[in-house]
Amino acid sequence: MASETHKGTVSATPTPSAPPLEIGKNGVPVLPVRDTVLFPHAVLPLTVGRESSIQLINSLGEEKTILVVAQREARVDSPQPTDLFSIGTLATVHKVVKMPNQSLFVFTEGLSRAKLKEFTQLTPFLRAQVDPLEDHEPETSPELEALQRNVLTLFQQIVAGSPTLSDELQTVAINIEEPGRLVDFVASSLPFLSTRDKQEILETSDVHRRLLAINRHLAKELEVQQLRNKIQTEVQDQVQQSQREYYLREQMKAIQKELGEQDEAQRDVEELRQKIEAAGMPEEVKKEALKELGRLARMSPMAADYSVTRNYIEWLAVLPWAKSSGVEVNINKAHEVLEADHYDLRKVKDRILDYLSVRRLKPSMKGPILCFVGPPGVGKTSLGRSIARALERKFVRISLGGVHDEAEIRGHRRTYIGALPGQIIQGIRRAETNDPVFVLDEVDKLGRDFRGDPSSALLETLDPEQNFTFRDNYLDVPFDLSKVLFICTANMLDTIPEPLRDRMEIIELQGYTEDDKAHIAERYLVPRQIEENGLKPEQIEIPDDAVRFIIRHYTREAGVRNLERNIGTLCRKQARRLAEGKTEKLVVTREIVQEFLGGIKVRLDTEIAERTKRAGVAVGLAWTPAGGDVLFVEANKMKGKGGLPLLTGQIGQVMDESSKVAYSWVRSNADKLALPEDFFKDHDIHIHVPAGAIPKDGPSAGVTMATALVSLLTDKPVRPLTAMTGEITLSGNVLPVGGIKEKFLAAKRAGVKQVILPAENRLNVEEDLMPEQVEGVTIHYASHIEDVLNVALPRSREEEKKDEEVREEVLQHANA
Ligand SMILES: Nc1ncnc2c1ncn2[C@@H]1O[C@H](COP(=O)(O)OP(=O)(O)OP(=O)(O)O)[C@@H](O)[C@H]1O
Ligand SMILES: [Mg+2]
């Protein structure tokens, strides 16, 4: 193994040109070198290890001149003449040092370029005839000078910009005057020039071209060097910046520690971790929570999504995964609580207790969901609250009215800005336990549109088959809702989405009679309002008479909400009086009611009396989600061309049709009613059902319309305080209708004394209405429209006279 490479620094000889060379006819020894080019005037230490080369050096006697030439291929171990470049450098060997590993360290100094001619010897080392090539320094010209100066400047810049090149090189270069020599010096000093580039420069004997070549290399190198420096500084800047931040942070920590303040964020993470540990989450959820916590710990609190991640973890941590409050259901106690909170509602309470008993026997029961249906203010929501109290569970309620976006139920994905869990999970969080009584109010007012169908999300929530793995979009981990007791409430059944209704146990709550309301007021509403308004029972008394006066003239409702509100108003007025120093007990009379609540608001009986003075007006009964109401049907006639009656008042298609049926029956019975023969030919009829804002539909106004028409055409006013409902056929038969209880109670509330119902509805009255509810009202059953007319219209002048008197009495009584 042999190698000749140059190591160590290069320097120019300050000595002037050597004496002319004497070369014998045998030529000079040729020393092949790898990866090295020796330039004239350069001193180069060569490591010589090749056997042939060692022999060459050892054979040197007085003769110290050799030819150093580069190999074309560094790999070749015993180069032949063809493996060498044809131009090398004549050199003097100054000194030889033996190295411990048998190789030699040879100091050579370049003398001049030389061209290889015939080889005179091949072994043990090469010898050849050479032809020295003297540098012909060209004539100076401005261009040459410019080039030379440029080379010098570039070289200086490179040396200055390089950390490895010695600054001395600059001084040496400045002192070289001959351009050819300068190039040789520069070329041999630059470590980045490849052997091939150097060899090319060596072979360029024309000095001008040599200058151009080195100039090109220098320019390129300078650019590379500048680029490298730029990158270097940038990297350094970055490193410095992050080091700076690191040090500042460390310092801050140290300061905080000194001041006794722990790292805020770190403490926060620690607290969250404790919450997670304490939350009793299922394994899967805990893993997710801890994963997110790990992420949070690595984030800077300044990062944009720090708070997003933190919120999420907080949500997971605070949910009651394992916290229940329910104790075993004690049916007797539950019964007591329900009784204590609500008046009557016997059937409803029984059904609730049945339901709870089954749950008690079979806690894992996947029972139906309870749904309370009834008019406003009859106690649906407050029953829910009462059940929670009876079971010693937490109570939460949400309203589904107007919810039309699935996300409101089930939340938005966390990727949304400002995303939150849906109402269900929010409710659970508020409950702080996983088994609350959860009331979903107004399921019948659930919307549905392009944003998705909330009812299917709701179904998933309520369905015991699915809800033990309820998945909120935000949480994205399952939550077990199976211990929650869901109760829905609604005003009407019709608009509850079918699949939901199927899974519900419907419990109907009906409107209250005046007596019911008076009892509820006395036992619940008055004491509650007295307390809520900070009064003492001995400071105010609202006797039964005043309560009934309020019920009759200040409310028009199936429930007791407005009644309670008015009682509250009375209590507040008394509180005000007490505050003003009037300390005597207030006993509320009708006069005080009028003074405190303002003039009478609702006067249905007088309205009926007033309106039915005129022939052509009949009182009908309607079922509404609010629990039934009275409604007026007005008919009028005018000269015209005949034809179908005009119908107004927001009337649905079914009601429209039944008006035509009524009209046809009246027309076909014109002679029985003693109408002029061609009356319908030149008279137009208009039927109007006022209170146009309430949409009305259904067939049950049929008898009322027929009655109004007959009253109009016979010019006899309908008897006072009489109301009716029923469907009519073309042949005049009266068919049964729905909502009898609500309609009847509405009529009674309005002060009606006679109610005409279809004969086939008799069973409804007997089953749904209690005797005391019917008290004070006469019910007439009709199977034909003539039965209706017999009751509804006066049959003689005397009766008509008497009716007028009754009406007057009602109106006067009201004014009194
Ligand atoms: N039978 C009753 N006994 C005692 N208080 C009652 C009874 N019925 C209703 N109330 C009271 O009437 C008020 C209104 O009841 P609640 O809010 O439960 O009505 P609701 O049926 O839920 O009505 P909505 O359909 O408008 O939501 C409550 O203060 C409630 O306590
Ligand atoms: Mg309610």
Side-chain angles (χ1 to χ4, degrees):
M1 182 70 221
S3 75
E4 282 91 313
T5 50
H6 90 272
K7 288 193 179 95
T9 38
V10 177
S11 65
T13 46
T15 45
S17 332
L21 290 166
E22 307 239 336
I23 294 169
K25 62 179 182 333
N26 268 349
V28 290
V30 175
L31 180 67
V33 291
R34 317 177 201 238
D35 286 333
T36 305
V37 175
L38 178 64
F39 282 93
H41 309 292
V43 172
L44 198 61
L46 296 171
T47 313
V48 174
R50 260 198 282 244
E51 192 48 46
S52 55
S53 303
I54 291 174
Q55 285 197 18
L56 182 152
I57 298 297
N58 287 339
S59 73
L60 294 177
E62 281 307 295
E63 177 201 38
K64 293 286 186 198
T65 305
I66 59 170
L67 185 87
V68 176
V69 63
Q71 289 178 210
R72 289 179 194 272
E73 294 284 346
R75 279 179 292 117
V76 179
D77 269 343
S78 14
Q80 298 306 304
T82 48
D83 294 326
L84 303 174
F85 284 111
S86 59
I87 291 186
T89 310
L90 280 170
T92 309
V93 174
H94 281 299
K95 195 173 179 187
V96 176
V97 178
K98 276 205 171 78
M99 302 299 285
N101 64 352
Q102 301 309 316
S103 63
L104 302 173
F105 212 51
V106 181
F107 287 86
T108 54
E109 182 188 352
L111 299 172
S112 74
R113 291 171 165 78
K115 192 171 172 57
L116 274 166
K117 300 206 321 212
E118 316 85 68
F119 280 79
T120 55
Q121 177 188 316
L122 292 178
T123 50
F125 50 86
L126 300 171
R127 276 187 95 93
Q129 292 285 0
V130 295
D131 193 357
L133 306 166
E134 286 306 320
D135 261 3
H136 294 291
E137 294 293 345
E139 295 273 308
T140 52
S141 69
E143 196 205 340
L144 193 80
E145 204 158 300
L147 259 177
Q148 187 179 352
R149 228 180 274 163
N150 204 34
V151 167
L152 189 60
T153 319
L154 288 174
F155 181 66
Q156 283 178 311
Q157 282 179 7
I158 288 171
V159 172
S162 158
T164 53
L165 294 178
S166 157
D167 285 347
E168 266 174 61
L169 293 173
Q170 294 190 45
T171 331
V172 178
I174 290 170
N175 289 320
I176 300 174
E177 277 167 19
E178 304 93 324
R181 215 176 131 183
L182 176 68
V183 177
D184 288 351
F185 173 70
V186 168
S188 72
S189 306
L190 292 178
F192 55 83
L193 273 191
S194 68
T195 309
R196 187 161 290 277
D197 290 338
K198 285 182 179 170
Q199 181 67 30
E200 236 174 70
I201 288 179
L202 187 71
E203 288 178 9
T204 312
S205 54
D206 182 280
V207 171
H208 188 236
R209 277 179 43 220
R210 211 188 292 167
L211 268 173
L212 282 173
I214 196 70
N215 205 25
R216 217 173 43 239
H217 286 304
L218 286 172
K220 194 178 122 212
E221 173 58 16
L222 187 63
E223 205 170 308
V224 170
Q225 193 187 52
Q226 283 171 349
L227 204 61
R228 206 173 41 211
N229 284 347
K230 188 167 163 240
I231 293 169
Q232 185 74 22
T233 4
E234 270 171 19
V235 169
Q236 219 154 39
D237 279 358
Q238 279 169 9
V239 171
Q240 273 170 3
Q241 180 65 23
S242 64
Q243 262 173 356
R244 206 177 100 87
E245 272 175 25
Y246 173 78
Y247 281 123
L248 286 176
R249 242 183 252 293
E250 288 298 305
Q251 265 175 7
M252 194 162 74
K253 271 191 204 156
I255 293 171
Q256 279 172 339
K257 206 169 149 196
E258 205 57 39
L259 292 173
E261 297 168 6
Q262 220 197 62
D263 185 349
E264 196 64 37
Q266 213 174 310
R267 206 170 46 204
D268 191 35
V269 167
E270 219 23 69
E271 267 174 28
L272 282 173
R273 189 186 308 280
Q274 280 165 16
K275 276 195 204 164
I276 292 172
E277 294 293 343
M281 303 170 176
E283 264 322 297
E284 179 198 349
V285 179
K286 191 168 164 186
K287 236 173 82 190
E288 175 71 21
L290 289 176
K291 195 185 98 199
E292 289 293 319
L293 190 72
R295 242 162 58 78
L296 188 76
R298 274 177 270 116
M299 277 181 178
S300 151
M302 301 295 147
D305 52 351
Y306 184 87
S307 67
V308 176
T309 307
R310 201 195 167 283
N311 266 351
Y312 176 67
I313 299 172
E314 173 97 30
W315 268 102
L316 287 183
V318 299
L319 284 181
W321 299 93
K323 217 166 124 213
S324 310
S325 64
V327 288
E328 199 175 288
V329 185
N330 177 337
I331 294 299
N332 289 331
K333 180 163 173 284
H335 187 119
E336 266 170 40
V337 173
L338 292 182
E339 282 302 329
D341 288 351
H342 288 90
Y343 167 80
D344 194 34
L345 298 174
R346 212 183 54 233
K347 263 194 193 166
V348 178
K349 287 177 190 164
D350 271 352
R351 281 182 78 178
I352 293 170
L353 290 173
D354 291 350
Y355 178 88
L356 295 179
S357 307
V358 177
R359 269 208 117 158
R360 188 189 120 97
L361 291 180
K362 209 167 163 246
S364 62
M365 174 189 71
K366 297 192 161 73
I369 307 131
L370 288 180
C371 180
F372 299 150
V373 179
V378 292
K380 299 182 296 296
T381 309
S382 69
L383 261 176
R385 204 180 288 275
S386 179
I387 292 174
R389 208 161 79 84
L391 298 178
E392 292 176 49
R393 301 226 207 146
K394 285 283 177 62
F395 173 84
V396 273
R397 78 170 266 278
I398 61 171
S399 174
L400 297 174
V403 167
H404 40 212
D405 189 348
E406 190 210 328
E408 283 185 59
I409 308 258
R410 225 206 310 238
H412 280 291
R413 295 198 173 281
R414 239 186 314 152
T415 42
Y416 282 82
I417 294 178
L420 275 182
Q423 294 274 348
I424 302 292
I425 289 296
Q426 294 201 21
I428 294 291
R429 179 177 178 166
R430 259 180 282 135
E432 294 173 336
T433 53
N434 61 9
D435 61 348
V437 172
F438 201 130
V439 169
L440 303 160
D441 265 331
E442 312 200 318
V443 263
D444 53 337
K445 301 193 182 57
L446 206 59
R448 162 189 214 162
D449 63 15
F450 60 94
R451 278 166 288 194
D453 182 358
S455 72
S456 67
L458 197 59
L459 197 61
E460 210 187 299
T461 309
L462 300 178
D463 189 350
E465 299 291 334
Q466 308 179 38
N467 72 5
F468 59 95
T469 57
F470 174 74
R471 206 174 258 274
D472 183 274
N473 287 328
Y474 178 84
L475 292 188
D476 206 25
V477 289
F479 189 92
D480 182 359
L481 291 177
S482 61
K483 289 197 199 151
V484 179
L485 176 57
F486 284 108
I487 297 176
C488 302
T489 82
N491 289 137
M492 55 203 293
L493 272 179
D494 306 13
T495 53
I496 302 178
E498 186 73 40
L500 265 179
R501 204 175 353 153
D502 278 355
R503 286 172 176 73
M504 288 173 171
E505 168 153 357
I506 306 289
I507 299 182
E508 279 184 75
L509 285 87
Q510 273 136 354
Y512 297 117
T513 62
E514 190 179 299
D515 282 338
D516 290 342
K517 290 181 183 175
H519 276 120
I520 293 172
E522 184 197 332
R523 291 192 27 207
Y524 301 90
L525 308 183
V526 173
R528 183 159 61 217
Q529 286 304 322
I530 286 178
E531 196 195 313
E532 269 181 26
N533 290 291
L535 299 178
K536 297 197 185 71
E538 59 271 18
Q539 289 169 327
I540 186 168
E541 185 188 335
I542 309 179
D544 187 62
D545 181 62
V547 170
R548 286 175 192 266
F549 187 69
I550 298 172
I551 295 170
R552 225 171 285 157
H553 298 308
Y554 291 84
T555 66
R556 187 178 178 183
E557 59 180 350
V560 292
R561 185 168 290 133
N562 287 328
L563 175 60
E564 183 167 9
R565 191 172 302 142
N566 281 316
I567 291 171
T569 309
L570 292 179
C571 290
R572 275 189 294 282
K573 296 273 188 198
Q574 169 64 354
R576 169 97 181 265
R577 279 165 51 122
L578 289 171
E580 287 168 355
K582 299 174 191 148
T583 51
E584 76 277 21
K585 175 174 181 173
L586 177 73
V587 179
V588 178
T589 61
R590 291 183 178 209
E591 289 68 39
I592 290 176
V593 171
Q594 293 210 40
E595 186 191 328
F596 285 1
L597 301 183
I600 286 171
K601 301 267 161 58
V602 179
R603 290 244 50 150
L604 267 181
D605 52 348
T606 53
E607 190 178 349
I608 293 173
E610 182 71 45
R611 288 180 116 170
T612 51
K613 267 182 182 169
R614 192 174 76 74
V617 179
V619 182
L621 295 170
W623 182 90
T624 69
D629 209 343
V630 296
L631 111 182
F632 296 92
V633 173
E634 297 177 355
N636 212 344
K637 61 175 190 235
M638 56 215 123
K639 287 265 182 239
K641 295 201 259 337
L644 288 175
L646 182 65
L647 203 67
T648 53
Q650 286 259 345
I651 280 156
Q653 198 192 343
V654 179
M655 193 181 268
D656 181 83
E657 281 168 7
S658 70
S659 77
K660 288 177 180 129
V661 174
Y663 177 73
S664 294
W665 182 83
V666 173
R667 263 187 88 162
S668 61
N669 290 278
D671 52 339
K672 246 195 234 162
L673 299 168
L675 293 175
E677 201 166 313
D678 45 8
F679 175 84
F680 287 102
K681 243 209 225 135
D682 43 49
H683 280 91
D684 280 348
I685 301 286
H686 183 170
I687 299 176
H688 180 57
V689 188
I694 310 162
K696 308 167 204 78
D697 202 2
S700 70
V703 295
T704 321
M705 295 191 189
T707 306
L709 284 172
V710 176
S711 157
L712 173 76
L713 302 178
T714 57
D715 200 22
K716 288 182 196 158
V718 176
R719 308 204 68 172
L721 303 180
T722 302
M724 63 205 76
T725 184
E727 182 175 352
I728 182 179
T729 69
L730 275 180
S731 47
N733 290 327
V734 174
L735 302 182
V737 293
I740 291 297
K741 179 174 176 178
E742 286 86 356
K743 287 175 176 174
F744 179 85
L745 291 178
K748 189 173 171 183
R749 272 203 301 279
V752 166
K753 295 292 175 226
Q754 314 201 59
V755 175
I756 308 169
L757 301 176
E760 284 178 51
N761 279 121
R762 188 189 288 264
L763 210 62
N764 295 94
V765 174
E766 282 162 7
E767 274 188 354
D768 297 345
L769 289 162
M770 282 174 283
E772 60 266 30
Q773 290 179 314
V774 180
E775 219 176 64
V777 180
T778 317
I779 301 180
H780 303 269
Y781 293 102
S783 44
H784 196 271
I785 185 68
E786 281 172 6
D787 303 336
V788 177
L789 296 176
N790 275 338
V791 178
L793 297 174
R795 277 160 300 180
S796 61
R797 278 303 308 161
E798 288 83 71
E799 275 188 353
E800 244 178 282
K801 264 247 171 65
K802 228 175 94 198
D803 287 350
E804 259 167 54
E805 280 161 26
V806 173
R807 269 190 262 273
E808 277 318 306
E809 204 188 325
V810 171
L811 292 174
Q812 248 158 40
H813 180 73
N815 293 336

